[in-house]
Amino acid sequence: MTRRPPSGTVSEADDRPNIVTRDSDLGRHPSARSLRGLDWRNFLLADVQSGVGPFLAIYLADYGWNEQRVGLALTIGGIAGIVSQTPAGALVDRLKSKRALIAAGVVALAIGALFIAFFPWFWPVVTAQVLIGSMSSFFMPAIAAISLGIVGHRLFNLRQGRNQAFNSAGNVVAAVVMGLIGYFISNRGVFFFVAVLAVPTTLSLFLIRPDEIDYQLAKGASDGEDDRTSASVLDLLEDRPLMIFLCCAVMFHFANAAMLPLLGEMLAKGKGRTSMMFMSACVVTTQFTITLLAPWAGRAAGSWGRKPLLLIGFGALPLRGVLYTFTNSLYLLVSIQVLDGIGAGIFGVVSVLVIADLTRGTGRFNLTLGAIATAVGIGAALSQTIAGSIVHHFSDRAGFLFLASVAAAAFTILWLFMPETLDWKGGAHTPTSMARR
């Protein structure tokens, strides 16, 4: 059975295309308190997550960990995230207590950070990575669901751009503070800072009013959809545009995930405490670029369409990998991170919009986010191990060129096979499996 297009249209006064939306989209008026809560949650959660990301490789290198050992620990943590992503998305679709899921993930991050700080040995670090990877799987689908449930499809592109901007602004602040802590105090102090920040991050969730979240809208459901209807991962496999996007996303993250950790390990060689400052500068450059770019990407996604922006983001990644091989200058290496900001900023905003387009009216928005994140996590986890091994046995240059070639292949597939998902007439994309019901 083919799904009926949603009813209602956007006012002519709106400068976006005349996109047809759910009636409930047009009547949504979220309070300033809830919108501020989303802003603060994105800002503070970014601060918490930054401390257990790129800084970890430098911290472990100080304790004598080599590239392979660091890559293995990161891979195990990635596997925990992979296993939990799809169930996390399905759970977010079913449960209304999305704020509680985010709070649980924040607490897990804090506990994992303390574990790493006190016990920088293989098994404690691996245990912390498993805890962090599995619990933080709820962040992306829960945040996207809350945002969609509050503002609706009509304004989701603008909200997603704002979410990404505040997230990146938080990363900028965190990177500066953590770099200063690592330089003037100790690298271990970064992880204590993460634990402290978990408190205001959790409190920010109380600003978001649960009564303003449309829980049907939050999972991408059509009006009147039966809550008891469950979506299957197998349904997603029958949707060709979704599978093309999944392939591109996996390759993008495979190429991207190992670049910054490998750069961090390269910076750490013989640099002592200054390596933490340069890693901080890399993160600041990337996140500051995203902060400036994300609001524009959200607006442009509603006027240009999704695919042109994705091509820009995907095109920046192979160029970045190649440029790393041309210089050993710390300042130039940091400057190249502008390309990381362009790629990550566009992908972070537009990928969620693409998934919202492809799942609109199906009631499986968060399940699909989780499934995509699972596949992407596989690519990212393998990236750490494979690229780390290439660098260990050959050279940094070989590792970066290998990742750049994968990124170039992802760009080519996106360009040749991925359709535009923004329907200018407003009719939602109908997956093949839905059309046959």
Side-chain angles (χ1 to χ4, degrees):
M1 181 177 67
T2 303
R3 191 165 32 84
R4 291 185 299 111
S7 60
T9 57
V10 176
S11 166
E12 293 179 0
D14 199 314
D15 61 359
R16 287 173 295 278
N18 192 33
I19 300 174
V20 179
T21 62
R22 280 185 52 181
D23 290 339
S24 57
D25 269 17
L26 299 176
R28 303 206 63 74
H29 300 288
S31 67
R33 171 184 162 176
S34 290
L35 296 178
R36 281 197 303 269
L38 279 172
D39 291 341
W40 278 110
R41 193 230 51 80
N42 280 287
F43 181 85
L44 291 169
L45 183 58
D47 288 14
V48 174
Q49 287 182 287
S50 292
V52 288
F55 292 99
L56 181 60
I58 291 178
Y59 174 70
L60 296 178
D62 284 346
Y63 284 89
W65 291 49
N66 61 32
E67 292 90 346
Q68 279 187 304
R69 196 171 177 84
V70 171
L72 180 59
L74 294 175
T75 298
I76 293 173
I79 290 173
I82 291 166
V83 171
S84 59
Q85 286 285 2
T86 302
L91 190 60
V92 170
D93 271 333
R94 287 183 172 274
L95 296 183
K96 290 188 176 182
S97 54
K98 306 182 195 308
R99 298 183 308 161
L101 292 176
I102 296 175
V106 171
V107 172
L109 279 174
I111 294 173
L114 291 175
F115 236 69
I116 293 170
F118 285 117
F119 311 107
W121 310 304
F122 184 77
W123 287 112
V125 169
V126 166
T127 301
Q129 285 292 93
V130 170
L131 178 64
I132 292 168
S134 57
M135 292 304 298
S136 62
S137 298
F138 294 101
F139 292 148
M140 182 179 69
I143 293 163
I146 291 172
S147 299
L148 182 58
I150 288 177
V151 304
H153 281 284
R154 188 171 65 100
L155 299 177
F156 189 45
N157 61 309
L158 301 180
R159 181 68 248 179
Q160 183 60 19
R162 190 174 176 89
N163 284 351
Q164 189 68 45
F166 272 86
N167 183 275
S168 298
N171 279 327
V172 169
V173 173
V176 171
V177 174
M178 291 174 186
L180 293 173
I181 289 173
Y183 184 78
F184 290 106
I185 303 176
S186 71
N187 290 347
R188 179 179 293 182
V190 167
F191 300 97
F192 292 117
F193 179 65
V194 169
V196 171
L197 277 178
V199 176
T201 304
T202 303
L203 293 177
S204 69
L205 293 170
F206 291 98
L207 291 173
I208 302 172
R209 297 176 58 175
D211 58 305
E212 293 186 4
I213 303 172
D214 182 330
Y215 291 98
Q216 286 291 95
L217 194 58
K219 65 178 182 175
S222 297
D223 287 322
E225 183 186 338
D226 188 347
D227 277 334
R228 294 170 296 177
T229 302
S230 60
S232 168
V233 175
L234 295 178
D235 292 335
L236 308 181
L237 299 178
E238 300 176 9
D239 190 344
R240 184 174 179 271
L242 185 60
M243 290 300 99
I244 294 172
F245 181 70
L246 182 147
C247 176
C248 293
V250 169
M251 295 177 70
F252 179 90
H253 279 273
F254 180 93
N256 185 62
M259 282 195 185
L260 190 56
L262 289 181
L263 180 61
E265 291 164 22
M266 187 170 68
L267 291 173
K269 294 174 182 176
K271 301 296 190 307
R273 292 191 303 169
T274 58
S275 60
M276 188 65 84
M277 289 296 292
F278 279 106
M279 175 54 72
S280 175
C282 287
V283 175
V284 167
T285 301
T286 297
Q287 298 302 326
F288 185 72
T289 303
I290 296 174
T291 302
L292 296 178
L293 184 70
W296 171 83
R299 292 191 300 271
S303 55
W304 292 16
R306 318 313 195 198
K307 185 172 179 177
L309 290 175
L310 285 175
L311 287 172
I312 294 173
F314 273 63
L317 186 55
L319 179 60
R320 174 184 161 213
V322 171
L323 288 177
Y324 281 149
T325 68
F326 283 120
T327 181
N328 291 320
S329 168
L330 294 174
Y331 298 102
L332 289 178
L333 289 171
V334 170
S335 299
I336 293 169
Q337 288 303 111
V338 169
L339 293 173
D340 186 20
I342 293 173
I346 290 177
F347 187 89
V349 172
V350 182
S351 62
V352 177
L353 300 179
V354 168
I355 294 170
D357 292 340
L358 296 177
T359 60
R360 188 169 180 177
T362 66
R364 60 191 187 207
F365 171 53
N366 302 295
L367 171 67
T368 306
L369 278 178
I372 292 285
T374 296
V376 162
I378 293 173
L382 290 175
S383 174
Q384 304 283 358
T385 299
I386 294 174
S389 295
I390 290 174
V391 169
H392 183 71
H393 292 290
F394 297 98
S395 66
D396 294 323
R397 187 172 184 270
F400 286 125
L401 288 177
F402 167 72
L403 295 173
S405 66
V406 175
F411 174 86
T412 303
I413 294 172
L414 179 74
W415 181 26
L416 295 177
F417 301 107
M418 183 68 194
E420 174 59 60
T421 63
L422 178 63
D423 190 332
W424 302 102
K425 296 181 180 179
H429 164 81
T430 304
T432 305
S433 59
M434 291 294 295
R436 288 206 293 262
R437 291 180 183 178

